Each structure stands twice: as structure tokens, then as C-alpha cells.
Amino acid sequence: MKEGIKKENKSQMKVIIWLNLLTNVICFASLNHYVKMSKTDVAGHDIFDFECGEGYAKKCDIEHLAFECNSNPRCRGFNSNGFLKSCASGCEAGCCYDVTQNVDLYIRKGYLPPDEWQDDVNSGRMLYANPEPHFCFLPEIANGYLGTISMSASLFQSGLFNGKCGNIGKTRLPSPIGGSIMNGELIASGLHFEKAMFVRRYRFEKQEQSIVEHRVYISRTLKGVMVLEFDLVSPLTSKSIEFSYLSTFDPLNQTHNPETECVGGGGVEIDVEFTFNSDLSTSSMFVYEGVLLSQDDRNRSLYVTICTQQPADTLQILTLSSSEPKIQFLSSLSSSIDFGPDSIDQSTVTLEAINRFDEALNKRHVLFDEHVQAWKDLWKSGIDIQPSDDQPFAPSNLIFDADHNGQNDTIITIFSRSLDIAQHVNSSMYYLLSSSRDDWP
């Protein structure tokens, strides 16, 4: 494979990059994307053998193999010996990698990261995925007090358990920040280590190719506060964009709990029985009071209260516009264990949850900035792996015209071991930092 870009395609590549800056991933989104893993192969899963490479007089043409894979909906990659593969994504997908001496594997991927994410992805500060992995493998967001698997139905408070000695487990709470946009095309997903935030981007082809960013985080500065946001990324020429959002937050029924299958469970696990407090709820804050179904070792009842801006309907129709490009849902939580070992009543827990909600509401415009700054301060105390200016983690991409129609249609990213190591180190530090805090317990 040629190490550079064809001379006749250099000007075309500059045009595509320039357009990409203007249209925010829409141009690059149309490129077929592959990741090259050197000295790697997948045994079996062959769709077609082009009889080239090792054992043949004919050398394989990588651009031609990319063209054939681009044209085949079953093709998930190919190797440098001319085999198209129906599976190339590793053991999670059912096709484990083999280490080789003279074969390279080209894995078909989805969309490239948005331009605004590229520096963070290439420096190991952000994990990016497209296509997004199964929800069982989505990352955790936490602040040492609260934690959840991104977009899932379950939320956990550090130190809150159900059952007694000998039969004890973490108390599952309904998460007010879990859910997914239903009618858009998911084009990007990522976990930002330095911001402790999980983010998705959706494209709406029938609505001017509009792009909406869906993000969630648990405040580092206000420990009992969770934030769900939707932001219009691309400009609109029409008045607004409308989309449907399916929330997993259903505290009265708790029927949304698909992650039980991730641990081999079945059915819905309910640890807390909630009721809606209509007397304390307002038009902008809904109050749900819960009591754990099991008492603690001292036969005391434990209480939980969640205050949220999330509507009661799990399926919601939301609207963004140029004049109102952002929607924010704040939620807060408090429980009996916030007050130490003494017995506490439900009303005291509820009052604390309301106070936390009010504080978040008053700081809603600076909440994210304070959260990010707190995480930056945390990272200063840990290990941060960054590339040097002259030796970047991610090598340059190879872009070419596989079908020879005069327009570049394929991009190959070279797998970087140094970037992989940086991502692993930063991931480990992120999970350590997100699991502890100096004011809890």
C-alpha cells in the first residue's frame, strides 16, 4: 500500500477537509472508514478470496480490496492477503484476533470523530466509538457519590445497600439521566475523561441534516446532582428541529431495566418502592420519595428521594431551535445514609434532595464549567499521558479514491499502540478518580 496520498488526489483531499470544517462531520461521514492493525488477522469468517498476497505471484492492491469491501454490505473488513471478512471486530463480536508476522487487518468502522473531538481522541483524553458498542459495554460516569452506566436505567449511591449481613447488595435506583434519542442516526459516541461526561451525536437527515448532541454527567462539585442535556450543534435554516427521546426513568413502575441481561439476570430488579409527592412537586420539579424494600441490620427503614425536571412520560417529544438551542434536565438525590447512622425520616431526606435541586437550579448556567474545572484539578494530582509535539499518538490518515470516480471515498486510520496505551492509562485513572471523593463517605 502506498505510504502517501496520490498526487492527483491531494487537491481533492484539501477540499474535503475544508468542507468538513464547515459542515461538521457530514463530508467525512460519507467516507468509508477502516482501521489498519499491523501483523494482525482474524481466522475464518471469509467472504471472498481474491487470490493475491502470500502464496501468490500477484500482490494485493489495498485500494481495490477497500473498493470491494465498500461495495459489499456483509464485509466488515479485509486482510492484506486478499480475504474479505464478515467479522473483524474482535472477540466481543465473535472473531478473535491472531498475531501474525506478515498479514495486516483492515477493520471497517463507522463515522470518524467530529472535528471538535479529534484532538481529544488523538491525545488519549477521550474514548470514541462508532458504531457504539452494546449497552452492556458502555462506560460508567460517576463522582464518588453517585454512579451509573452511561444512558442506562440504573443508578447507584456509594454506601447504599439492600439486605442484611450475609445477603447484601448494592441498591439499584432508577436513573433520571438514562435514555436514548429514538429517531435520529447515531453518528458518534464518546467518554471524555477530563470532563467525566458521556456524549452522543445524532444526525437527522430529514431535518436539514441537523446534528443534536446528547450528553450526561454527574456533577463533581454538587455531589447529589445529575445533568442531562441536548444541544443543537449544527445551525438551522428552518424554525426548529423535533425529535423523540425515550427516557429510562420510570420510578413508579421501573420497567426499563435491560441491563439485567448484562450480568445474566432476567426480569426487572426493584430495590426501592417509590411514590410521587404531588404536594411538594411543582411545574419545574417532580418529587419522588422511596423506601428500600429491605431494612438494614438494625431493622431501620432507609429512604431515598429523587427530585427531577424529567417529565413523567418515558417517551418525550423535544424541540430545539436557533433561539433555544439547548435543553437541560436537572436531577438531585438524597438518602438516609447522608445523615450518618442515626434514624432519619422521609421528610428530612426529601428536604435535603430539594435543597440540592434548588442549588443546582440556581447554578445551572455555571454548573458544567465548575464540574469541568473540578475534574481538571483532579487530573493534576494523577497521571496524565500526553503526546509530544514531534511524536503524536495518532499517525496521519490515508485518504484515497477506491472506486476511481474522481472523488475520495475511503480513509484508513493506522492503529496506534502508543495511543492505545495512553487510553488504557487514562481510563484506569478516570475510574479511580470517579470512584472516590474527599467529602464522602
Side-chain angles (χ1 to χ4, degrees):
M1 183 168 66
K2 299 179 179 63
E3 295 298 326
I5 299 170
K6 286 185 175 181
K7 290 184 179 180
E8 61 266 29
N9 286 337
K10 282 185 177 180
S11 61
Q12 294 169 1
M13 187 193 73
K14 291 179 181 179
V15 171
I16 287 182
I17 293 175
W18 177 74
L19 288 174
N20 185 39
L21 294 174
L22 293 180
T23 57
N24 191 23
V25 313
I26 291 178
C27 285
F28 269 7
S30 64
L31 294 177
N32 296 282
H33 179 208
Y34 295 86
V35 171
K36 176 186 176 182
M37 295 187 67
S38 300
K39 298 182 178 180
T40 304
D41 198 10
V42 167
H45 303 279
D46 300 326
I47 299 175
F48 194 83
D49 178 9
F50 282 91
E51 298 183 349
C52 59
E54 187 178 9
Y56 294 93
K58 178 183 176 183
K59 185 179 179 181
C60 289
D61 183 339
I62 299 301
E63 293 189 13
H64 177 70
L65 292 175
F67 167 74
E68 294 292 343
C69 193
N70 294 345
S71 306
N72 190 328
R74 291 183 56 217
C75 184
R76 305 313 307 159
F78 59 89
N79 68 18
S80 56
N81 275 345
F83 287 91
L84 301 190
K85 301 286 183 175
S86 61
C87 182
S89 299
C91 293
E92 291 179 4
C95 47
C96 295
Y97 298 133
D98 290 334
V99 177
T100 67
Q101 292 299 318
N102 51 8
V103 180
D104 300 329
L105 183 65
Y106 296 79
I107 306 167
R108 193 171 189 175
K109 295 290 186 177
Y111 299 123
L112 291 168
D115 275 353
E116 309 93 287
W117 299 8
Q118 196 74 61
D119 287 344
D120 289 331
V121 172
N122 289 344
S123 62
R125 295 190 298 267
M126 186 177 191
L127 287 181
Y128 170 77
N130 186 270
E132 186 179 275
H134 189 276
F135 63 77
C136 290
F137 301 104
L138 290 181
E140 175 188 287
I141 54 172
N143 67 356
Y145 174 80
L146 294 175
T148 181
I149 302 300
S150 301
M151 312 304 185
S152 79
S154 296
L155 175 73
F156 301 94
Q157 182 188 13
S158 176
L160 185 62
F161 298 95
N162 60 6
K164 300 181 180 182
C165 284
N167 184 25
I168 193 169
K170 293 187 297 181
T171 300
R172 178 194 175 273
L173 303 167
S175 172
I177 57 174
S180 302
I181 292 176
M182 301 304 294
N183 60 329
E185 180 189 10
L186 181 59
I187 61 172
S189 301
L191 172 68
H192 202 299
F193 298 134
E194 291 188 347
K195 299 176 182 178
M197 175 181 68
F198 185 76
V199 58
R200 287 170 168 169
R201 283 196 176 182
Y202 292 85
R203 183 172 62 186
F204 298 85
E205 291 189 4
K206 295 182 180 180
Q207 301 189 66
E208 304 179 19
Q209 300 280 349
S210 300
I211 296 175
V212 172
E213 187 166 282
H214 170 202
R215 52 182 176 259
V216 292
Y217 65 94
I218 300 176
S219 173
R220 189 76 198 188
T221 52
L222 303 181
K223 65 183 180 184
V225 173
M226 299 151 280
V227 184
L228 162 66
E229 292 180 337
F230 302 95
D231 198 9
L232 181 62
V233 175
S234 57
L236 283 174
T237 56
S238 61
K239 292 183 178 180
S240 63
I241 173 176
E242 189 176 85
F243 58 94
S244 59
Y245 172 70
L246 182 63
S247 170
T248 64
F249 187 61
D250 184 20
L252 301 183
N253 300 305
Q254 300 183 54
T255 56
H256 296 276
N257 191 14
E259 60 268 23
T260 54
E261 73 176 63
C262 301
V263 292
V268 177
E269 298 176 357
I270 299 177
D271 296 331
V272 184
E273 184 175 324
F274 281 90
T275 57
F276 178 67
N277 190 323
S278 57
D279 293 331
L280 294 177
S281 296
T282 67
S283 59
S284 59
M285 180 189 71
F286 305 105
V287 179
Y288 295 92
E289 296 177 320
V291 58
L292 270 67
L293 296 181
S294 62
Q295 294 182 319
D296 66 8
D297 288 333
R298 299 179 183 178
N299 294 318
R300 297 173 303 180
S301 295
L302 297 178
Y303 302 101
V304 179
T305 298
I306 296 175
C307 300
T308 183
Q309 292 179 312
Q310 272 281 15
D313 297 330
T314 54
L315 184 61
Q316 305 161 24
I317 304 300
L318 303 177
T319 302
L320 294 171
S321 64
S322 298
S323 58
E324 296 184 9
K326 182 177 178 179
I327 296 173
Q328 183 185 67
F329 292 114
L330 299 175
S331 301
S332 67
L333 180 143
S334 180
S335 78
S336 297
I337 65 171
D338 293 331
F339 302 90
D342 297 332
S343 296
I344 212 77
D345 58 20
Q346 179 80 73
S347 60
T348 303
V349 173
T350 298
L351 180 60
E352 177 64 19
I354 292 175
N355 289 339
R356 291 177 176 182
F357 180 89
D358 289 341
E359 184 178 7
L361 193 62
N362 290 332
K363 302 183 75 172
R364 62 189 180 277
H365 298 303
V366 298
L367 196 59
F368 180 67
D369 291 339
E370 291 182 353
H371 166 79
V372 171
Q373 185 59 52
W375 268 94
K376 283 184 177 180
D377 294 341
L378 276 178
W379 277 101
K380 290 178 182 178
S381 64
I383 301 173
D384 189 15
I385 308 297
Q386 297 286 344
S388 59
D389 292 336
D390 59 338
Q391 291 183 328
F393 285 157
S396 58
N397 298 326
L398 178 65
I399 306 174
F400 54 87
D401 176 13
D403 60 6
H404 302 290
N405 67 350
Q407 294 184 344
N408 291 324
D409 55 26
T410 302
I411 181 168
I412 293 179
T413 302
I414 312 300
F415 175 79
S416 168
R417 179 59 64 187
S418 58
L419 176 58
D420 184 56
I421 293 172
Q423 289 173 337
H424 277 79
V425 172
N426 289 338
S427 295
S428 299
M429 281 303 305
Y430 164 77
Y431 279 105
L432 288 173
L433 294 172
S434 65
S435 299
S436 61
R437 57 186 305 121
D438 56 13
D439 61 353
W440 185 261

mmCIF file of all heavy atoms in Angstrom, residues 312-343:
data_model
loop_
_atom_site.group_PDB
_atom_site.id
_atom_site.type_symbol
_atom_site.label_atom_id
_atom_site.label_comp_id
_atom_site.label_asym_id
_atom_site.label_seq_id
_atom_site.Cartn_x
_atom_site.Cartn_y
_atom_site.Cartn_z
ATOM 1 N N ALA A 312 -42.971 12.886 33.535
ATOM 2 C CA ALA A 312 -43.390 11.527 33.889
ATOM 3 C C ALA A 312 -43.431 10.607 32.674
ATOM 4 O O ALA A 312 -43.262 9.393 32.806
ATOM 5 C CB ALA A 312 -44.763 11.572 34.556
ATOM 6 N N ASP A 313 -43.628 11.149 31.479
ATOM 7 C CA ASP A 313 -43.714 10.327 30.265
ATOM 8 C C ASP A 313 -42.330 9.828 29.871
ATOM 9 O O ASP A 313 -41.379 10.618 29.754
ATOM 10 C CB ASP A 313 -44.303 11.124 29.111
ATOM 11 C CG ASP A 313 -45.729 11.577 29.389
ATOM 12 O OD1 ASP A 313 -46.434 10.861 30.124
ATOM 13 O OD2 ASP A 313 -46.124 12.646 28.886
ATOM 14 N N THR A 314 -42.219 8.527 29.668
ATOM 15 C CA THR A 314 -40.919 7.997 29.252
ATOM 16 C C THR A 314 -40.609 8.364 27.803
ATOM 17 O O THR A 314 -39.445 8.593 27.457
ATOM 18 C CB THR A 314 -40.882 6.465 29.412
ATOM 19 O OG1 THR A 314 -41.986 5.895 28.715
ATOM 20 C CG2 THR A 314 -40.966 6.089 30.889
ATOM 21 N N LEU A 315 -41.609 8.428 26.930
ATOM 22 C CA LEU A 315 -41.404 8.846 25.541
ATOM 23 C C LEU A 315 -41.764 10.319 25.422
ATOM 24 O O LEU A 315 -42.913 10.709 25.632
ATOM 25 C CB LEU A 315 -42.236 8.011 24.580
ATOM 26 C CG LEU A 315 -42.017 8.305 23.089
ATOM 27 C CD1 LEU A 315 -40.560 8.042 22.692
ATOM 28 C CD2 LEU A 315 -42.951 7.481 22.219
ATOM 29 N N GLN A 316 -40.764 11.123 25.102
ATOM 30 C CA GLN A 316 -40.948 12.578 25.075
ATOM 31 C C GLN A 316 -40.630 13.123 23.691
ATOM 32 O O GLN A 316 -39.706 12.644 23.020
ATOM 33 C CB GLN A 316 -40.042 13.238 26.110
ATOM 34 C CG GLN A 316 -40.223 12.704 27.519
ATOM 35 C CD GLN A 316 -39.050 13.021 28.414
ATOM 36 O OE1 GLN A 316 -38.302 13.966 28.180
ATOM 37 N NE2 GLN A 316 -38.854 12.217 29.458
ATOM 38 N N ILE A 317 -41.373 14.132 23.272
ATOM 39 C CA ILE A 317 -41.094 14.851 22.034
ATOM 40 C C ILE A 317 -40.456 16.174 22.414
ATOM 41 O O ILE A 317 -41.078 17.012 23.079
ATOM 42 C CB ILE A 317 -42.375 15.081 21.210
ATOM 43 C CG1 ILE A 317 -43.085 13.754 20.933
ATOM 44 C CG2 ILE A 317 -42.024 15.800 19.909
ATOM 45 C CD1 ILE A 317 -42.248 12.764 20.154
ATOM 46 N N LEU A 318 -39.194 16.362 22.012
ATOM 47 C CA LEU A 318 -38.432 17.548 22.381
ATOM 48 C C LEU A 318 -38.155 18.396 21.151
ATOM 49 O O LEU A 318 -38.058 17.876 20.030
ATOM 50 C CB LEU A 318 -37.114 17.145 23.046
ATOM 51 C CG LEU A 318 -37.242 16.244 24.286
ATOM 52 C CD1 LEU A 318 -35.860 15.861 24.794
ATOM 53 C CD2 LEU A 318 -38.046 16.924 25.380
ATOM 54 N N THR A 319 -38.004 19.697 21.362
ATOM 55 C CA THR A 319 -37.797 20.633 20.259
ATOM 56 C C THR A 319 -36.625 21.555 20.565
ATOM 57 O O THR A 319 -36.534 22.124 21.659
ATOM 58 C CB THR A 319 -39.065 21.482 20.012
ATOM 59 O OG1 THR A 319 -40.165 20.620 19.728
ATOM 60 C CG2 THR A 319 -38.854 22.421 18.838
ATOM 61 N N LEU A 320 -35.723 21.679 19.604
ATOM 62 C CA LEU A 320 -34.627 22.636 19.668
ATOM 63 C C LEU A 320 -34.769 23.623 18.518
ATOM 64 O O LEU A 320 -35.272 23.271 17.448
ATOM 65 C CB LEU A 320 -33.270 21.928 19.583
ATOM 66 C CG LEU A 320 -32.892 21.011 20.752
ATOM 67 C CD1 LEU A 320 -31.635 20.226 20.400
ATOM 68 C CD2 LEU A 320 -32.692 21.804 22.027
ATOM 69 N N SER A 321 -34.307 24.838 18.724
ATOM 70 C CA SER A 321 -34.399 25.851 17.684
ATOM 71 C C SER A 321 -33.184 26.767 17.761
ATOM 72 O O SER A 321 -32.393 26.702 18.720
ATOM 73 C CB SER A 321 -35.680 26.677 17.851
ATOM 74 O OG SER A 321 -35.652 27.401 19.063
ATOM 75 N N SER A 322 -33.028 27.629 16.776
ATOM 76 C CA SER A 322 -31.910 28.571 16.777
ATOM 77 C C SER A 322 -31.995 29.526 17.951
ATOM 78 O O SER A 322 -30.979 29.952 18.498
ATOM 79 C CB SER A 322 -31.893 29.354 15.459
ATOM 80 O OG SER A 322 -31.714 28.475 14.365
ATOM 81 N N SER A 323 -33.208 29.865 18.361
ATOM 82 C CA SER A 323 -33.381 30.766 19.501
ATOM 83 C C SER A 323 -33.238 30.040 20.834
ATOM 84 O O SER A 323 -32.849 30.637 21.827
ATOM 85 C CB SER A 323 -34.747 31.452 19.426
ATOM 86 O OG SER A 323 -35.786 30.485 19.406
ATOM 87 N N GLU A 324 -33.577 28.750 20.869
ATOM 88 C CA GLU A 324 -33.429 27.932 22.065
ATOM 89 C C GLU A 324 -32.715 26.632 21.690
ATOM 90 O O GLU A 324 -33.321 25.574 21.560
ATOM 91 C CB GLU A 324 -34.795 27.634 22.683
ATOM 92 C CG GLU A 324 -35.521 28.885 23.184
ATOM 93 C CD GLU A 324 -36.828 28.546 23.865
ATOM 94 O OE1 GLU A 324 -37.100 27.354 24.107
ATOM 95 O OE2 GLU A 324 -37.594 29.479 24.161
ATOM 96 N N PRO A 325 -31.376 26.709 21.541
ATOM 97 C CA PRO A 325 -30.626 25.548 21.026
ATOM 98 C C PRO A 325 -30.253 24.512 22.077
ATOM 99 O O PRO A 325 -29.569 23.548 21.748
ATOM 100 C CB PRO A 325 -29.369 26.201 20.452
ATOM 101 C CG PRO A 325 -29.162 27.404 21.315
ATOM 102 C CD PRO A 325 -30.534 27.895 21.698
ATOM 103 N N LYS A 326 -30.697 24.688 23.325
ATOM 104 C CA LYS A 326 -30.275 23.782 24.381
ATOM 105 C C LYS A 326 -31.428 23.450 25.311
ATOM 106 O O LYS A 326 -32.221 24.310 25.670
ATOM 107 C CB LYS A 326 -29.127 24.408 25.185
ATOM 108 C CG LYS A 326 -28.558 23.540 26.290
ATOM 109 C CD LYS A 326 -27.384 24.238 26.957
ATOM 110 C CE LYS A 326 -26.807 23.434 28.100
ATOM 111 N NZ LYS A 326 -25.657 24.108 28.736
ATOM 112 N N ILE A 327 -31.509 22.171 25.706
ATOM 113 C CA ILE A 327 -32.458 21.709 26.718
ATOM 114 C C ILE A 327 -31.659 21.057 27.838
ATOM 115 O O ILE A 327 -30.758 20.254 27.587
ATOM 116 C CB ILE A 327 -33.452 20.690 26.138
ATOM 117 C CG1 ILE A 327 -34.329 21.334 25.059
ATOM 118 C CG2 ILE A 327 -34.347 20.117 27.238
ATOM 119 C CD1 ILE A 327 -35.220 20.338 24.338
ATOM 120 N N GLN A 328 -31.991 21.420 29.067
ATOM 121 C CA GLN A 328 -31.278 20.877 30.219
ATOM 122 C C GLN A 328 -32.276 20.335 31.236
ATOM 123 O O GLN A 328 -33.250 20.993 31.579
ATOM 124 C CB GLN A 328 -30.423 21.967 30.876
ATOM 125 C CG GLN A 328 -29.583 21.495 32.057
ATOM 126 C CD GLN A 328 -28.865 22.645 32.741
ATOM 127 O OE1 GLN A 328 -29.505 23.500 33.341
ATOM 128 N NE2 GLN A 328 -27.535 22.661 32.643
ATOM 129 N N PHE A 329 -32.040 19.090 31.690
ATOM 130 C CA PHE A 329 -32.836 18.484 32.749
ATOM 131 C C PHE A 329 -31.924 18.244 33.952
ATOM 132 O O PHE A 329 -30.943 17.502 33.858
ATOM 133 C CB PHE A 329 -33.448 17.152 32.295
ATOM 134 C CG PHE A 329 -34.502 17.279 31.231
ATOM 135 C CD1 PHE A 329 -34.278 16.767 29.961
ATOM 136 C CD2 PHE A 329 -35.710 17.902 31.501
ATOM 137 C CE1 PHE A 329 -35.251 16.873 28.978
ATOM 138 C CE2 PHE A 329 -36.687 18.008 30.530
ATOM 139 C CZ PHE A 329 -36.462 17.505 29.259
ATOM 140 N N LEU A 330 -32.257 18.863 35.077
ATOM 141 C CA LEU A 330 -31.503 18.687 36.306
ATOM 142 C C LEU A 330 -32.213 17.686 37.211
ATOM 143 O O LEU A 330 -33.442 17.626 37.241
ATOM 144 C CB LEU A 330 -31.356 20.013 37.051
ATOM 145 C CG LEU A 330 -30.626 21.144 36.314
ATOM 146 C CD1 LEU A 330 -30.681 22.421 37.139
ATOM 147 C CD2 LEU A 330 -29.189 20.760 36.021
ATOM 148 N N SER A 331 -31.427 16.923 37.967
ATOM 149 C CA SER A 331 -31.982 15.979 38.936
ATOM 150 C C SER A 331 -31.086 15.970 40.163
ATOM 151 O O SER A 331 -29.878 16.227 40.080
ATOM 152 C CB SER A 331 -32.063 14.561 38.356
ATOM 153 O OG SER A 331 -32.870 14.521 37.199
ATOM 154 N N SER A 332 -31.684 15.671 41.314
ATOM 155 C CA SER A 332 -30.915 15.565 42.549
ATOM 156 C C SER A 332 -31.378 14.341 43.332
ATOM 157 O O SER A 332 -32.490 13.845 43.131
ATOM 158 C CB SER A 332 -31.064 16.825 43.408
ATOM 159 O OG SER A 332 -32.400 16.941 43.881
ATOM 160 N N LEU A 333 -30.520 13.882 44.234
ATOM 161 C CA LEU A 333 -30.833 12.701 45.045
ATOM 162 C C LEU A 333 -30.287 12.889 46.448
ATOM 163 O O LEU A 333 -29.224 13.473 46.652
ATOM 164 C CB LEU A 333 -30.232 11.444 44.419
ATOM 165 C CG LEU A 333 -30.455 10.114 45.142
ATOM 166 C CD1 LEU A 333 -30.655 8.994 44.147
ATOM 167 C CD2 LEU A 333 -29.265 9.785 46.069
ATOM 168 N N SER A 334 -31.034 12.365 47.402
ATOM 169 C CA SER A 334 -30.570 12.272 48.779
ATOM 170 C C SER A 334 -31.122 10.987 49.378
ATOM 171 O O SER A 334 -32.147 10.467 48.910
ATOM 172 C CB SER A 334 -31.024 13.475 49.604
ATOM 173 O OG SER A 334 -30.559 13.375 50.944
ATOM 174 N N SER A 335 -30.435 10.458 50.397
ATOM 175 C CA SER A 335 -30.914 9.247 51.053
ATOM 176 C C SER A 335 -30.599 9.299 52.542
ATOM 177 O O SER A 335 -29.895 10.204 53.024
ATOM 178 C CB SER A 335 -30.280 8.003 50.434
ATOM 179 O OG SER A 335 -28.956 7.832 50.904
ATOM 180 N N SER A 336 -31.091 8.316 53.271
ATOM 181 C CA SER A 336 -30.899 8.261 54.723
ATOM 182 C C SER A 336 -29.433 8.244 55.113
ATOM 183 O O SER A 336 -29.045 8.795 56.159
ATOM 184 C CB SER A 336 -31.590 7.021 55.300
ATOM 185 O OG SER A 336 -32.981 7.058 55.096
ATOM 186 N N ILE A 337 -28.582 7.614 54.303
ATOM 187 C CA ILE A 337 -27.189 7.473 54.706
ATOM 188 C C ILE A 337 -26.429 8.795 54.633
ATOM 189 O O ILE A 337 -25.302 8.883 55.125
ATOM 190 C CB ILE A 337 -26.461 6.399 53.873
ATOM 191 C CG1 ILE A 337 -26.360 6.810 52.393
ATOM 192 C CG2 ILE A 337 -27.145 5.054 53.998
ATOM 193 C CD1 ILE A 337 -25.468 5.880 51.592
ATOM 194 N N ASP A 338 -27.035 9.840 54.042
ATOM 195 C CA ASP A 338 -26.405 11.156 54.045
ATOM 196 C C ASP A 338 -26.302 11.724 55.453
ATOM 197 O O ASP A 338 -25.526 12.657 55.693
ATOM 198 C CB ASP A 338 -27.196 12.137 53.174
ATOM 199 C CG ASP A 338 -27.146 11.781 51.699
ATOM 200 O OD1 ASP A 338 -26.141 11.187 51.278
ATOM 201 O OD2 ASP A 338 -28.108 12.088 50.977
ATOM 202 N N PHE A 339 -27.073 11.184 56.372
ATOM 203 C CA PHE A 339 -27.169 11.757 57.717
ATOM 204 C C PHE A 339 -26.500 10.889 58.774
ATOM 205 O O PHE A 339 -26.731 11.076 59.967
ATOM 206 C CB PHE A 339 -28.648 11.978 58.070
ATOM 207 C CG PHE A 339 -29.355 12.881 57.105
ATOM 208 C CD1 PHE A 339 -30.000 12.363 55.978
ATOM 209 C CD2 PHE A 339 -29.364 14.247 57.297
ATOM 210 C CE1 PHE A 339 -30.644 13.202 55.083
ATOM 211 C CE2 PHE A 339 -30.008 15.094 56.399
ATOM 212 C CZ PHE A 339 -30.640 14.571 55.287
ATOM 213 N N GLY A 340 -25.687 9.932 58.370
ATOM 214 C CA GLY A 340 -24.969 9.113 59.320
ATOM 215 C C GLY A 340 -25.786 7.936 59.815
ATOM 216 O O GLY A 340 -26.797 7.561 59.218
ATOM 217 N N PRO A 341 -25.383 7.354 60.955
ATOM 218 C CA PRO A 341 -26.008 6.114 61.427
ATOM 219 C C PRO A 341 -27.345 6.311 62.140
ATOM 220 O O PRO A 341 -28.058 5.342 62.383
ATOM 221 C CB PRO A 341 -24.966 5.556 62.406
ATOM 222 C CG PRO A 341 -24.250 6.768 62.920
ATOM 223 C CD PRO A 341 -24.211 7.740 61.775
ATOM 224 N N ASP A 342 -27.691 7.550 62.470
ATOM 225 C CA ASP A 342 -28.934 7.778 63.201
ATOM 226 C C ASP A 342 -30.149 7.574 62.303
ATOM 227 O O ASP A 342 -30.102 7.783 61.091
ATOM 228 C CB ASP A 342 -28.966 9.194 63.776
ATOM 229 C CG ASP A 342 -27.861 9.430 64.799
ATOM 230 O OD1 ASP A 342 -27.450 8.435 65.430
ATOM 231 O OD2 ASP A 342 -27.397 10.580 64.931
ATOM 232 N N SER A 343 -31.268 7.178 62.932
ATOM 233 C CA SER A 343 -32.522 7.025 62.195
ATOM 234 C C SER A 343 -32.975 8.392 61.677
ATOM 235 O O SER A 343 -32.831 9.412 62.367
ATOM 236 C CB SER A 343 -33.606 6.417 63.085
ATOM 237 O OG SER A 343 -33.257 5.115 63.476
#
